[in-house]
Amino acid sequence: MVVHRLEATSWHNTLGSHEPVLRCADGDTVITGTIDAIGYDKDGVRRASPPNPVNGPIFVEGAEPGDALRVEIVRMTPTRDTGWTNSVLAANVVDPDAVRRLPQPERITWLIDRGALTVRLEKPPAGLENFVLPLEPMIGCFGVAPRHGGAISNATSAENGGNMDYRGFGPGTTVWFPVAVPGALFALGDCHAVQGDGEIVGTGIETTFEVEIRLGVEKKRAIVWPRGETATDIFTAGNARPLDQALQHATTEMLNWLTSDYGLCVNAASHLMGQVVRYDVGNVFDPAYTMVCRIAKKWLPAKG
């Protein structure tokens, strides 16, 4: 298997059928340095415009519609000593009568200690002087090209992935995307040092990373929505608005997974899901919301 280094010189604000910047084989590894959500690189130079410019796309040999692209997130190494967030909660996550009490949003700097792998506010307000968080890297926006040669804005998400902003998309996680075009045309960007559930200030701690991923093709694995697996859990992600529709997509994808791969009938899968499912909130700021349906592996039967 080959290790590729992708040095991006151009970026896209959509996931779509763009000309690939790299071609790799099934099982190859790609290492690439990302820029932040508004286009600044590790040296603070603006290289692209928002929203969420992504590196790629990468053409994966052998990937065809009806397959699944497997993305193993091997490593995320911070490459900058600062990140930034918005300063106040987004207006859509509080009661309408609370919106007028919110201050005007500002861009706030966070300091990243790349040795200790921690983050803290550069100018903490009263009460947060000792607020230091461990680094929890995640990929905010990634996925494959959608069907019919189209392109979907990186401000949102759909079946092909996109700006899902789910905390679980970090090192050690494997993610599957449905392949809709030859080569899958995978791209990634918008990496966060830390983020709470929902991205409820409209950002994570936005910064830059060197990301190492391993790409694989699983032939004739027909999935509809992104799936993921960690050391302890499996999960499915649904992207839509309103939030209940995103939940429906994630739940249906989990039902399909349990009945196709784990040998459960619909009744058995329903009993299992009804008692052990956990729902995580991905993005609730962007046009499409993300809900994640998650099950601990300890409850799963052996795969059929």
Side-chain angles (χ1 to χ4, degrees), residues 36 55-56 76 92 97 101 157 160 199 202 218 248 291 302:
D36 73 16
N55 297 15
M76 296 180 66
N92 69 302
D97 64 355
R101 302 199 306 269
S157 56
N160 62 309
E199 200 189 39
E218 299 193 6
Q248 290 165 358
M291 283 295 296

Side-chain angles (χ1 to χ4, degrees), residues 156-159 161 163-164 166 224-226 235-255 273 277-294:
T156 191
S157 56
E159 292 97 326
N163 195 39
M164 297 178 284
Y166 174 50
V224 179
W225 295 93
F235 63 86
T236 52
N239 305 309
R241 198 166 188 171
L243 196 62
D244 58 351
Q245 189 174 14
L247 181 144
Q248 290 165 358
H249 293 324
T251 305
T252 302
E253 189 69 21
M254 181 61 77
L255 175 64
M273 293 174 67
V277 151
R278 300 293 181 263
Y279 284 104
D280 299 331
V281 178
N283 191 299
V284 290
F285 173 73
D286 292 322
Y289 295 156
T290 297
M291 283 295 296
V292 170
C293 180
R294 178 171 53 87

Side-chain angles (χ1 to χ4, degrees), residues 103-123:
Q104 282 295 112
E106 301 176 29
R107 190 171 297 158
I108 300 299
T109 299
W110 293 70
L111 303 179
I112 300 171
D113 187 327
R114 289 189 272 167
L117 299 179
T118 58
V119 296
R120 62 183 176 86
L121 285 158
E122 180 183 48
K123 297 177 180 177

Side-chain angles (χ1 to χ4, degrees), residues 11-275:
W11 295 264
H12 291 287
N13 301 116
T14 59
L15 294 177
S17 292
H18 308 293
E19 187 68 24
V21 298
L22 176 69
R23 301 177 82 95
C24 70
D26 179 6
D28 284 359
T29 293
V30 178
I31 299 172
T32 191
T34 64
I35 58 179
D36 73 16
I38 55 174
Y40 286 90
D41 69 10
K42 63 184 179 64
D43 299 313
V45 177
R46 191 157 207 176
R47 308 293 299 277
S49 300
N52 301 323
V54 291
N55 297 15
I58 299 167
F59 187 104
V60 185
E61 301 288 352
E64 297 288 344
D67 300 337
L69 181 72
R70 183 180 68 253
V71 181
E72 300 172 53
I73 307 172
V74 178
R75 173 177 61 87
M76 296 180 66
T77 302
T79 56
R80 202 167 74 191
D81 294 326
T82 62
W84 58 270
T85 63
N86 290 335
S87 58
V88 297
L89 293 170
N92 69 302
V93 304
V94 298
D95 289 333
D97 64 355
V99 173
R100 58 180 174 269
R101 302 199 306 269
L102 295 175
Q104 282 295 112
E106 301 176 29
R107 190 171 297 158
I108 300 299
T109 299
W110 293 70
L111 303 179
I112 300 171
D113 187 327
R114 289 189 272 167
L117 299 179
T118 58
V119 296
R120 62 183 176 86
L121 285 158
E122 180 183 48
K123 297 177 180 177
L128 295 184
E129 294 88 351
N130 299 313
F131 185 51
V132 179
L133 294 168
L135 191 78
E136 294 184 339
M138 52 165 282
I139 302 174
C141 184
F142 67 146
V144 296
R147 293 172 292 175
H148 308 309
I152 294 178
S153 169
N154 293 345
T156 191
S157 56
E159 292 97 326
N160 62 309
N163 195 39
M164 297 178 284
D165 292 310
Y166 174 50
R167 295 176 61 246
F169 290 137
T173 297
T174 298
V175 186
W176 291 266
F177 294 101
V179 176
V181 301
L185 299 179
F186 173 79
L188 68 91
D190 181 35
C191 296
H192 302 169
V194 180
Q195 181 205 286
D197 287 343
E199 200 189 39
I200 61 174
V201 295
T203 71
I205 299 180
E206 310 285 343
T207 190
T208 62
F209 281 87
E210 181 177 86
V211 181
E212 180 177 347
I213 55 170
R214 187 176 299 111
L215 299 172
V217 179
E218 299 193 6
K219 300 299 294 182
K220 293 181 169 54
R221 187 179 186 189
I223 65 175
V224 179
W225 295 93
R227 298 179 179 183
E229 181 174 350
T230 67
T232 58
D233 300 274
I234 65 170
F235 63 86
T236 52
N239 305 309
R241 198 166 188 171
L243 196 62
D244 58 351
Q245 189 174 14
L247 181 144
Q248 290 165 358
H249 293 324
T251 305
T252 302
E253 189 69 21
M254 181 61 77
L255 175 64
N256 292 343
W257 197 353
L258 295 178
T259 54
S260 65
D261 288 27
Y262 291 92
L264 297 179
C265 69
V266 171
N267 282 353
S270 299
H271 290 313
L272 178 67
M273 293 174 67
Q275 307 313 317

